[in-house]
Amino acid sequence: YEVRKNYAGADLVMYLPADSEKNAKQFIAAVEPSLVIFVKYEFWHFYLSELKQQSIPVILIAGIFRPTQPFFKWWGFFHRNMLHCFKHLFVQNETSQHLLESIGLAGKTSVCGDTRFDRVVELAGNPKPIQVAEAFRHGRNLLVAGSTWKEDEELIAGWFSKHKTDWQLIIAPHEIEQKNIERLLHLFPAAVTYSAIQNQTNSGQKQAVLIIDNIGMLSYLYAYGTVCYVGGGFNKSGHHNILEAAVYGKPVFTGPVFEKFSESVELKRLGASFTVHNATELEQLIQQTDVEKAGGIAAEYVFRKSGATKLITGWVQEKRLLTSE
């Protein structure tokens, strides 16, 4: 919310009230939507039921489904009912489409890919120069690590302790509260924070590690890396968005939990993304990787997969869902 609250493409950015019968009725009555769009894993029983009752069309975009989800179990009647509230479901792959067709949703699904590809292509096409990052690189190899958690940071610290003389490091942690930043400054003694440089309390010229202690820069920072590391891969929910790095033609390294993300599975199969379990593996893989080749594969993949937004908006226009007629 903090990142998107001033987004110019929306008239209003706000939290969706908790999913209850009362909240759903009041919120929908206040907003009076012509069309409702939910993304990926957004399944809210009371909202969907109320929208269906009022005959307000709802579509799902970038949906991705797996056989292990409740929708496809014999006991998943409640969850299947939510899916039948959608007018149409745009999914990322044919596996998802076949699963939905198996529970009676044939004719209500389309494979269009993931709108996140379009978003990162848009960002890469309108780069935002970050002078501190450019200067910090010092003409040396640079690892940009984004959305990192403690396990990621300790792994990177183990690798970086051997490469202080030939690599620079920019790390943008997932959590930027002061306590966590202080922990990182202790973990990386040769570090300076972005705010310290901005406040001119430290020029950053002698430091080997730059810690980003704000929100909103990461998607542009990846452009400066020789290689990139995307954190979260040691959590059960999996790593964060690797497309933000791949679009710039960067090899991407992640922790071992990635199976939920089709783009991660595919990029690893293609040789553009790599899984690491410890500092030794990170060192070996960075040494073995043909950075230019892997980066080229990554960028080509992202641009080839873009276009979902155009397909979805075309369908909405064809169905005349946002007209007053």
Side-chain angles (χ1 to χ4, degrees):
Y1 172 77
E2 290 299 323
V3 174
R4 281 284 170 259
K5 63 183 180 182
N6 297 317
Y7 174 54
D11 293 320
L12 177 66
V13 177
M14 64 175 294
Y15 288 102
L16 185 69
D19 187 30
S20 70
E21 184 175 8
K22 179 181 178 181
N23 285 348
K25 289 181 180 294
Q26 290 181 344
F27 185 79
I28 293 167
V31 176
E32 296 183 337
S34 300
L35 171 66
V36 174
I37 302 173
F38 285 128
V39 183
K40 203 168 184 177
Y41 297 128
E42 303 290 337
F43 304 112
W44 305 109
H45 167 71
F46 290 107
Y47 281 101
L48 289 169
S49 299
E50 183 65 22
L51 290 164
K52 182 177 182 180
Q53 185 175 332
Q54 295 192 30
S55 299
I56 297 171
V58 191
I59 64 174
L60 180 74
I61 66 171
I64 187 163
F65 295 90
R66 301 179 299 278
T68 55
Q69 292 173 308
F71 309 110
F72 313 108
K73 302 297 185 181
W74 65 266
W75 44 263
F77 180 78
F78 173 83
H79 295 84
R80 285 192 290 274
N81 270 354
M82 288 193 284
L83 296 183
H84 284 275
C85 292
F86 287 93
K87 181 177 181 67
H88 204 81
L89 299 99
F90 293 93
V91 296
Q92 294 186 30
N93 53 40
E94 291 185 354
T95 299
S96 296
Q97 185 178 46
H98 294 155
L99 284 168
L100 294 176
E101 289 175 345
S102 73
I103 57 172
L105 289 165
K108 295 182 68 175
T109 68
S110 299
V111 178
C112 72
D114 190 342
T115 53
R116 290 181 304 144
F117 286 89
D118 300 324
R119 177 58 179 159
V120 297
V121 167
E122 179 187 8
L123 288 172
N126 298 278
K128 180 180 178 181
I130 302 175
Q131 293 181 349
V132 171
E134 179 62 48
F136 192 79
R137 189 161 44 180
H138 299 319
R140 289 197 281 174
N141 288 321
L142 172 65
L143 173 68
V144 176
S147 300
T148 56
W149 296 78
K150 183 179 179 181
E151 294 87 349
D152 304 300
E153 292 148 3
E154 291 177 348
L155 183 155
I156 292 168
W159 164 80
F160 190 69
S161 65
K162 300 180 181 179
H163 295 278
K164 294 177 182 179
T165 58
D166 54 340
W167 280 80
Q168 297 284 104
L169 171 64
I170 295 180
I171 187 163
H174 183 73
E175 298 177 342
I176 61 167
E177 70 274 9
Q178 187 60 32
K179 183 178 179 180
N180 194 51
I181 297 301
E182 290 174 358
R183 180 185 63 82
L184 285 171
L185 287 169
H186 180 75
L187 183 63
F188 297 97
V192 60
T193 62
Y194 179 81
S195 61
I197 295 176
Q198 290 298 96
N199 295 331
Q200 297 184 338
T201 57
N202 191 313
S203 68
Q205 291 183 354
K206 296 181 179 180
Q207 271 73 21
V209 181
L210 174 62
I211 299 172
I212 307 299
D213 51 352
N214 62 35
I215 294 174
M217 292 174 55
L218 179 57
S219 57
Y220 301 103
L221 277 172
Y222 284 128
Y224 294 91
T226 307
V227 299
C228 298
Y229 183 103
V230 177
F234 287 91
N235 302 332
K236 64 179 182 180
S237 55
H239 61 64
H240 295 272
N241 189 359
I242 67 172
L243 300 178
E244 291 181 331
V247 70
Y248 293 109
K250 309 296 179 180
V252 184
F253 298 86
T254 75
V257 183
F258 64 89
E259 293 86 353
K260 290 183 178 180
F261 308 103
S262 59
E263 70 275 9
S264 188
V265 173
E266 291 171 0
L267 281 171
K268 290 180 190 303
R269 177 178 56 81
L270 291 169
S273 179
F274 308 90
T275 301
V276 297
H277 296 81
N278 51 56
T280 300
E281 286 187 0
L282 180 60
E283 181 176 27
Q284 291 173 346
L285 283 169
I286 288 179
Q287 290 175 345
Q288 296 168 5
T289 298
D290 183 330
V291 172
E292 185 174 346
K293 179 181 179 181
I297 293 171
E300 189 278 332
Y301 170 82
V302 174
F303 281 86
R304 175 166 48 85
K305 288 281 189 174
S306 64
T309 302
K310 185 176 181 180
L311 290 172
I312 295 166
T313 54
W315 183 90
V316 170
Q317 291 173 347
E318 178 188 340
K319 300 299 180 182
R320 304 182 69 84
L321 295 181
L322 291 177
T323 65
S324 58
E325 300 176 13

